Amino acid sequence: MSAVPKIVTSRREYADSYTLERYKTTGGFDGLKKALSMTPEAVCAEVDAASLLGRGGAGFPAGRKWSMLRKSDVSYLVINGDESEPATFKDHLLVEHDPHQLVEGVIIAAFALQVTQAFIFLRGEFALGLERVQSAVNGFYAEGALGSNILGSGFSLDIVVHPGAGAYICGEETSLLESLEGKRGFPRIKPPFFPAAIGLYGEPTVVNNVETVSNLPWIVLNGGSAFAALGEGRSTGTRLFALSGKVRNPGVFEIEMVKTTFRDLIFNPSLGGGVTGSGEVKAIIPGGVSAPWFYPEQLDLPLGQDEVADAGSMLGSGSIVVMDTSTCMVKAAWRITRFFSRESCGQCTPCREGSGWLERILYRLENGQGRMEDIDLLLDLCDNIAPGLTWPPQQTTICVLGPSIPSSIHSAISRFRDEFVAHVTNGGCTHG
Amino acid sequence: MNHLTPEMRTRAEKLVALYPEPRSALIPLCHLAQEQDGYLVDDAMIEIAEIVGVTPAEVRGTATFYDMLHTDSVGRYVVGVCTNIACLLAGGDELLAHAEASLGVRAGGTSEDGLFTLEETECLADCDIAPCVQVNHRYVRTTTPEALDSLVAELRAGERGEEIPPHGTLIRVERTVGLEASKDTIAAERATARAAAAERATVEGS
């Protein structure tokens, strides 16, 4: 593991990692200079060779997303930094600690795509991150690395840093574009499934995640094949994993894909350092709260896109929450469901009404007013939102927020039905 | 309608100029108005509507969708305590209950002196230092009741103003330049680049 490079967290050890001075003395601009000396096609080819999967949650190959836009004319690049999936905090690290790397990555992507303007959309709650990324953008302009004729290359680009205003749904890319157009964050009806066809202001647009583009300076400098040599199968390179919940050392870890298991991540002394509370794992949420849960028997699964998908869940946003055996599963499912209920945009009935109904049932179970028939009612309602309760879920709504709601409830009841029953017979939660 | 101060109005116009469509500046302008007044007052929404070319109802309709935009007054300090899953596992519920008791308000309320508004928030993306607390969207990393109490005492005493500006002030770093690449420059450059790319494609194909 020692030979694995830090691709996006190389400056993390420096207290001043966010400053232009530190950036310049640690290889800043190198990837950009190299990219500008190449043709846009060659830069795209390196990203294709890297097989870089999008790091936002869906895990779509970045190169393929780009190729949808390459033939078009006017277009925008929008960076999704609306990181709001519960327990996901990797982009937070990147925007606060290495904003220049992000901006460099954005320019490289824009050059490869030959887009005319780029926007970095950051969730409004990242006040410090917004200030640091704006400072970085200012620094790039001052260095001639942004604006007209970037570093004498004949390529011009403007980047605008855009603050969100607090809405989980804006992480959904079509909702993000609506928000960037100054509207409520209502996801758009699909198809088209990708904004590459009809994006910002109806123009072809690529939306990439903060971590995805932060990989680009390294990929351009070291070559796509060096990136692809890390990891295994479809999961290439390293990835940031955000570990939280009942672990000794919660935090963000940059790890080579597939080569580490959930068990390593949670128990390795240099990573998670073991489970707190009871010391034993009861369940883990492998990829954000939209993902079906895993249990102790899945701990030896590798942290890889397909490996996790084949086991019936998703690596999603790379956030892993550990729940120990003292955790109340009803309460956990309730809190996650309440989140979805609050953040549902309200466009689609199954999500808007379903999430609130589910939340109220879970609340009464947790607080002693539950009835035995509530348990099957929960599953029945979940089945109405995502018919068949399959994974990946069936879609009854405009976006995937609705069909993500059943994951935690279905996981909790399937595995811990006895706990739900006990909440009814004991008149509420006894977990204290 | 002149509700924004001349300085704010200038900043607003600079922001509008950054976007292909003025309406895109709607949310940034709402943040700006909150910086001036602490929250979004009606007159500010009317002026924003004028600036970006929509109706005041559209500004309100948009603003009320977002948690950070307040159409009712809030305290000088908006204290957000997260109770979502990672924070729940770290005692977020208990910390929120403590904050309610020590500030004397329920979540969603504002203290009588108008200094503090307490909010129960969804995930704030700082889950390794849980439970997560933000004041005016700045991470304060007070994970214990004691730490939260001393922070509140400091804020009451008027300390930490440097680090935590009054509610509404979000981004203290202003953009130093407008859009530099003119539409004509970009159009000319892209035409040249396209021609070069087409030539490369022909060479490769031959």
Side-chain angles (χ1 to χ4, degrees):
Chain A
M1 233 164 75
S2 56
V4 177
K6 294 292 180 214
I7 293 179
V8 292
T9 59
S10 65
R11 296 187 185 90
R12 192 177 179 178
E13 61 193 276
Y14 301 109
D16 62 352
S17 63
Y18 59 91
T19 63
L20 181 61
E21 293 68 35
R22 176 59 66 190
Y23 172 70
K24 280 164 127 177
T25 58
T26 49
F29 299 118
D30 288 356
L32 175 61
K33 283 176 187 160
K34 184 167 177 196
L36 294 174
S37 74
M38 298 159 68
T39 64
E41 298 94 312
V43 176
C44 287
E46 290 303 332
V47 176
D48 274 334
S51 301
L52 173 64
L53 300 182
R55 301 300 200 230
F60 194 80
R64 242 167 74 205
K65 205 184 233 187
W66 285 12
S67 65
M68 295 176 185
L69 191 81
R70 248 180 272 170
K71 294 168 197 78
S72 313
D73 237 15
V74 179
S75 50
Y76 298 103
L77 171 65
V78 177
I79 303 307
N80 186 343
D82 192 57
E83 182 169 66
S84 310
E85 179 76 19
T88 308
F89 50 106
K90 61 176 183 85
D91 294 339
H92 176 194
L93 176 87
L94 293 175
V95 299
E96 276 189 13
H97 289 270
D98 210 336
H100 295 87
Q101 172 177 263
L102 167 63
V103 175
E104 185 180 349
V106 177
I107 304 171
I108 292 171
F111 173 72
L113 292 161
Q114 293 284 298
V115 306
T116 53
Q117 195 176 1
F119 297 92
I120 302 177
F121 184 112
L122 297 179
R123 69 178 293 187
E125 293 90 343
F126 285 164
L128 181 62
L130 280 157
E131 290 175 348
R132 288 196 173 161
V133 175
Q134 185 62 64
S135 295
V137 164
N138 291 346
F140 269 73
Y141 275 105
E143 298 282 329
L146 206 47
S148 285
N149 193 16
I150 292 172
L151 301 173
S153 65
F155 175 72
S156 300
L157 174 77
D158 279 299
I159 296 179
V160 172
V161 182
H162 182 92
Y168 165 67
I169 192 58
C170 291
E172 199 272 356
E173 61 186 3
T174 64
S175 162
L176 184 145
L177 295 177
E178 287 287 303
S179 186
L180 186 48
E181 289 181 7
K183 301 169 188 162
R184 296 168 83 96
F186 282 166
R188 294 176 180 170
I189 291 172
K190 289 95 181 159
F193 288 97
F194 289 96
I198 303 170
L200 189 61
Y201 316 116
E203 304 280 355
T205 303
V206 158
V207 182
N208 280 147
N209 166 261
V210 163
E211 184 187 348
T212 309
V213 293
S214 292
N215 277 290
L216 297 178
W218 193 94
I219 289 174
V220 167
L221 266 182
N222 298 276
S225 56
F227 190 86
L230 299 165
E232 222 175 273
R234 244 167 39 91
S235 303
T236 59
T238 62
R239 185 166 179 184
L240 294 181
F241 288 96
L243 180 66
S244 65
K246 295 283 195 180
V247 283
R248 200 151 279 125
N249 312 317
V252 177
F253 303 98
E254 181 172 353
I255 292 173
E256 184 178 3
M257 292 279 267
V258 195
K259 300 298 170 66
T260 306
T261 63
F262 284 98
R263 188 184 302 282
D264 294 336
L265 177 63
I266 295 165
F267 289 95
N268 187 316
S270 63
L271 301 171
V275 177
T276 56
S278 72
E280 277 177 69
V281 172
K282 185 173 190 175
I284 57 175
I285 309 176
V289 298
S290 304
W293 298 356
F294 279 164
Y295 310 103
E297 64 268 25
Q298 276 113 3
L299 279 173
D300 292 312
L301 274 174
L303 294 165
Q305 191 95 2
D306 293 336
E307 290 78 359
V308 172
D310 291 345
S313 189
M314 65 168 179
L315 211 46
S317 56
S319 61
I320 291 148
V321 182
V322 177
M323 297 185 274
D324 72 323
T325 50
S326 71
T327 308
C328 173
M329 297 291 106
V330 178
K331 190 166 188 182
W334 164 70
R335 186 61 186 83
I336 292 168
T337 306
R338 192 174 62 150
F339 161 76
F340 284 120
S341 168
R342 282 180 171 181
E343 297 296 335
S344 171
C345 82
Q347 283 191 105
C348 310
T349 311
C351 174
R352 182 188 64 244
E353 301 302 323
S355 59
W357 194 356
L358 289 165
E359 188 268 322
R360 290 190 296 276
I361 297 169
L362 286 162
Y363 182 83
R364 73 178 179 234
L365 280 165
E366 173 69 8
N367 292 285
Q369 286 92 45
R371 310 157 199 154
M372 210 52 92
E373 58 269 30
D374 280 345
I375 304 169
D376 286 325
L377 179 58
L378 285 169
L379 291 176
D380 187 37
L381 284 172
C382 286
D383 186 73
N384 275 297
I385 302 174
L389 294 176
T390 55
W391 187 263
Q394 295 291 312
Q395 193 89 8
T396 54
T397 50
I398 291 171
C399 83
V400 293
L401 189 149
S404 301
I405 302 167
S407 291
S408 56
I409 300 169
H410 187 217
S411 296
I413 297 178
S414 304
R415 177 78 174 208
F416 306 103
R417 193 179 186 102
D418 53 335
E419 261 188 55
F420 283 75
V421 171
H423 273 70
V424 178
T425 50
N426 296 333
C429 189
T430 54
H431 282 82
Chain B
M1 176 64 63
N2 284 320
H3 176 76
L4 294 176
T5 63
E7 185 232 337
M8 283 294 178
R9 179 76 188 209
T10 307
R11 282 174 64 190
E13 278 158 9
K14 279 187 188 168
L15 282 172
V16 171
L18 298 177
Y19 297 93
E21 309 271 351
R23 182 167 182 162
S24 281
L26 193 152
I27 289 169
L29 294 198
C30 287
H31 283 307
L32 213 61
Q34 292 205 137
E35 179 172 340
Q36 177 179 303
D37 301 314
Y39 72 104
L40 262 181
V41 305
D42 290 351
D43 286 351
M45 286 189 274
I46 293 169
E47 187 167 351
I48 290 168
E50 280 173 18
I51 297 172
V52 304
V54 298
T55 65
E58 285 174 290
V59 175
R60 179 182 290 276
T62 304
T64 50
F65 184 81
Y66 296 96
D67 289 345
M68 291 173 67
L69 302 176
H70 297 271
T71 50
D72 291 310
S73 74
V74 290
R76 180 180 176 86
Y77 298 108
V78 174
V79 179
V81 180
C82 177
T83 58
N84 206 311
I85 188 70
C87 290
L88 183 80
L89 293 166
D93 272 4
E94 289 81 4
L95 191 62
L96 179 68
H98 176 83
E100 285 182 329
S102 69
L103 292 173
V105 287
R106 298 300 297 266
T110 300
S111 61
E112 269 182 29
D113 58 7
L115 212 48
F116 296 99
T117 295
L118 181 63
E119 288 184 340
E120 180 183 12
T121 73
E122 294 301 344
C123 184
L124 297 167
D126 202 37
C127 321
D128 49 346
I129 307 169
C132 178
V133 179
Q134 279 193 334
V135 176
N136 297 346
H137 308 296
R138 318 259 154 196
Y139 296 103
V140 291
R141 292 172 177 149
T142 51
T143 58
T144 63
E146 298 72 32
L148 187 61
D149 284 347
S150 36
L151 172 74
V152 165
E154 284 168 20
L155 292 172
R156 271 194 210 286
E159 291 161 20
R160 299 185 70 159
E162 283 274 297
E163 179 195 346
I164 307 170
H167 181 262
T169 301
L170 190 65
I171 314 169
R172 293 166 298 180
V173 177
E174 274 196 63
R175 191 183 165 95
T176 45
V177 293
L179 295 185
E180 286 212 327
S182 74
K183 283 200 173 84
D184 293 346
T185 309
I186 285 185
E189 276 179 13
R190 299 303 188 271
T192 313
R194 265 197 308 279
E199 197 172 309
R200 287 193 295 272
T202 321
V203 172
E204 275 166 29
S206 61

